[in-house]
Amino acid sequence: MHEYSRDEVLERYRLLGEDLAKRNIDIDAVKDAVSRFEVEVPSWAFGPFGGGRFSGYIPPGAARNIFEKIEDAAMVNRLTGATPKIGIHVGWDDPEGAPFDKIKPSSFKKVKDYAQGLDLEIGSVSPTYFLEGTEFGSLSSNDPETRKRMIEHTLTSAEVAEKYGIGLLTLWFPDGSLYPGQVDMRRRERNLKSSLKEIYDRTPDSVKMLIEYKLFEPGTYHTVVSDVSAASEIALWLGRRAGVIVDIGHHAHGVNIEHIVARLIEKGMPAGIHFNSRYVADDDHAVEPNMLIFRVFHELVKGGVIGSTEHSREWAYMIDQCSPIENRIEAVLHSVDSLMVSYAKALIVDVERLKRYQYKNEVIPANRVLVDAFLTDVRPILYMARLEKGLPIDPVEAYRESGYQEKIEKERSGGR
Ligand code: PSV
Ligand code: MN
């Protein structure tokens, strides 16, 4: 990207402001909202996870443990000012590296303290259901011993979330099957529900549980929580502390994801989004500022959810990506930038005009209102927000020039 001088930024911002004023949009209000935007980064985006398909290729400088992951997340936050929370996976991120069943919640105090020292907080906490012994199911397994282990693991994770995080559990189950006939699908769902009920009843009121659905993988024929209906029915059945995670990559192609977002907003259910991009399957690539992400933000803005002063309406925004070959920190920075661009575009939709066209059934003009916002280059708004905070205008470029990558490649070359 061309590096703009301060004067160039001010000039571009002024010109865009004039343009937006014609649509009755106050550019300063948009800039302030974008400036407040926050998204959580996942610890696993910085570690070795994800390189396995290329003979265990691990990109140079990949974080070797939770503390290095936190350092990388702190670097992302320093460059963007938008990522003060890091999501963790209890099984991967236990600083003691204890065997799965021996993980102690208290071990995570160190993690919290280390994060705090770098101006970060632990955000969502995920139990790691896909470690040893769950190839035939975790919370839905037919084996009561496995279910019990996974329930205990979830309770450990809930304690970590409550004591050292923000009380947010994000649950994704690798449960499913590969062939028709392999499992009794109804029985599996009943098993999952009864495990979750026990967890729900044994967790304090301050712990929220968001259930993530996924159409495929590792189940190739069926997954126990395959879609938003399965996840939201279970969440409703559990109670008001339970909700849904929409992971962008977990749908069939062509699914209208913004409609799912709109319906969850309408239900008033606790919810969150795992942002990523994918081309074929669940590749978990970095987010691009494409039309889909823009449409999702449009629903979040229109639904009065994002940036809401009413705390209970706000959703949880997280990045969920793991990059196999690209520079991981650049990839996360690219995602944060893309999300801010998409949010800014959603904020400049001429809502009044859109409503008028909708009311009169003016199909194409209504669509063009959205397209018009999507095609507007809103980057001067982000540049201005960053200038005001003393942040670099282009976080990816700033990272490339920071020397951090060279430093971690040197320091982390000694293996795990
Ligand atoms: C599963 O594909 C998922 O989307 C879940 O959110 C996991 O926690 C994460 O990816 C890492 O496996
Ligand atoms: Mn996810």
Side-chain angles (χ1 to χ4, degrees):
M1 193 199 89
H2 166 72
E3 190 59 45
Y4 293 102
S5 69
R6 188 187 162 80
D7 284 347
E8 280 172 314
V9 169
L10 295 180
E11 181 57 8
R12 290 191 65 187
Y13 184 76
R14 189 187 63 75
L15 288 173
L16 180 59
E18 277 177 16
D19 197 23
L20 293 179
K22 291 181 199 145
R23 308 182 212 169
N24 292 321
I25 291 161
D26 172 5
I27 193 170
D28 290 331
V30 174
K31 183 237 328 148
D32 292 344
V34 172
S35 193
R36 287 192 295 271
F37 175 72
E38 286 181 4
V39 62
E40 181 181 305
V41 295
S43 68
W44 53 96
F46 305 109
F49 174 57
R53 284 185 180 85
F54 303 109
S55 311
Y57 168 72
I58 296 174
R64 294 165 299 179
N65 53 51
I66 181 61
F67 302 107
E68 291 180 353
K69 292 174 189 175
I70 289 172
E71 287 163 17
D72 293 353
M75 181 64 182
V76 170
N77 192 34
R78 277 201 297 283
L79 292 172
T80 61
T83 61
K85 293 194 188 79
I86 177 168
I88 60 167
H89 244 285
V90 171
W92 279 329
D93 293 331
D94 174 27
E96 309 300 331
F100 190 72
D101 296 319
K102 303 250 175 341
I103 296 174
K104 291 199 296 287
S106 56
S107 309
F108 285 82
K109 179 171 183 324
K110 266 194 232 160
V111 177
K112 179 200 163 112
D113 291 345
Y114 197 71
Q116 236 168 21
L118 292 173
D119 293 327
L120 290 185
E121 245 187 314
I122 297 181
S124 63
V125 174
S126 295
T128 317
Y129 297 117
F130 41 88
L131 293 185
E132 335 92 61
T134 48
E135 49 286 340
F136 298 111
S138 64
L139 290 180
S140 82
S141 168
N142 281 337
D143 172 26
E145 260 316 299
T146 305
R147 288 207 301 275
K148 192 163 166 289
R149 280 177 65 223
M150 293 303 130
I151 289 172
E152 289 311 317
H153 176 58
T154 315
L155 293 171
T156 302
S157 308
E159 202 176 322
V160 172
E162 201 212 356
K163 287 199 176 133
Y164 309 117
I166 53 168
L168 179 58
L169 268 186
T170 41
L171 310 178
W172 171 71
F173 320 102
D175 298 45
S177 61
L178 308 186
Y179 292 90
Q182 181 189 332
V183 303
D184 176 337
M185 294 187 279
R186 283 168 50 212
R187 178 161 175 211
R188 283 308 186 87
E189 187 170 334
R190 280 201 300 275
N191 289 348
L192 178 80
K193 282 172 77 178
S194 78
S195 305
L196 282 173
K197 180 87 177 80
E198 179 173 341
I199 292 160
Y200 192 87
D201 291 345
R202 290 174 63 191
T203 42
D205 236 21
S206 51
V207 170
K208 199 152 95 178
M209 294 165 37
L210 299 181
I211 298 171
E212 183 168 351
Y213 58 92
K214 185 174 188 177
L215 179 65
F216 56 92
E217 204 274 328
T220 43
Y221 165 64
H222 120 280
T223 55
V224 178
V225 188
S226 55
D227 56 25
V228 69
S229 337
S232 55
E233 276 166 28
I234 296 172
L236 269 180
W237 176 79
L238 285 171
R240 54 173 185 78
R241 286 194 282 121
V244 173
I245 285 274
V246 179
D247 184 312
I248 302 288
H250 288 190
H251 304 86
H253 278 291
V255 167
N256 184 336
I257 300 176
E258 61 271 22
H259 185 201
I260 291 174
V261 168
R263 291 184 58 221
L264 289 169
I265 295 173
E266 195 64 16
K267 275 196 220 294
M269 178 171 273
I273 305 188
H274 276 181
F275 287 106
N276 46 45
S277 296
R278 57 91 182 257
Y279 298 105
V280 179
D282 181 36
D283 300 318
D284 289 356
H285 291 314
V287 185
E288 291 173 324
N290 57 29
M291 187 76 179
L292 162 63
I293 302 291
F294 160 72
R295 293 189 308 250
V296 166
F297 272 93
H298 172 56
E299 291 304 328
L300 293 168
V301 168
K302 200 155 57 81
V305 165
I306 190 163
S308 170
T309 44
E310 230 183 292
H311 183 62
S312 60
R313 284 187 69 75
E314 188 54 285
W315 282 25
Y317 308 109
M318 303 139 176
I319 290 168
D320 183 5
Q321 70 184 60
C322 69
S323 311
I325 51 170
E326 61 275 40
N327 181 299
R328 290 161 185 217
I329 297 179
E330 286 177 17
V332 173
L333 291 165
H334 182 45
S335 289
V336 178
D337 192 51
S338 302
L339 292 169
M340 293 173 85
V341 166
S342 307
Y343 183 27
K345 286 180 189 236
L347 286 166
I348 62 158
V349 170
D350 189 340
V351 187
E352 289 314 313
R353 217 161 123 233
L354 182 63
K355 272 194 213 149
R356 278 201 305 276
Y357 288 139
Q358 287 176 345
Y359 186 72
K360 291 195 285 179
N361 293 319
E362 298 269 23
V363 180
I364 295 300
N367 176 246
R368 287 176 69 82
V369 173
L370 289 191
V371 169
D372 187 33
F374 177 66
L375 291 179
T376 305
D377 183 1
V378 293
R379 288 175 298 176
I381 298 176
L382 274 68
Y383 301 158
M384 191 64 179
R386 290 171 180 156
L387 262 189
E388 284 183 355
K389 287 183 169 174
L391 292 167
I393 286 171
D394 180 343
V396 176
E397 272 311 306
Y399 179 71
R400 293 173 64 80
E401 284 160 16
S402 68
Y404 187 87
Q405 184 63 33
E406 293 73 13
K407 177 175 160 286
I408 59 176
E409 284 186 22
K410 218 151 118 203
E411 283 172 7
R412 299 175 186 173
S413 59
R416 291 167 67 74

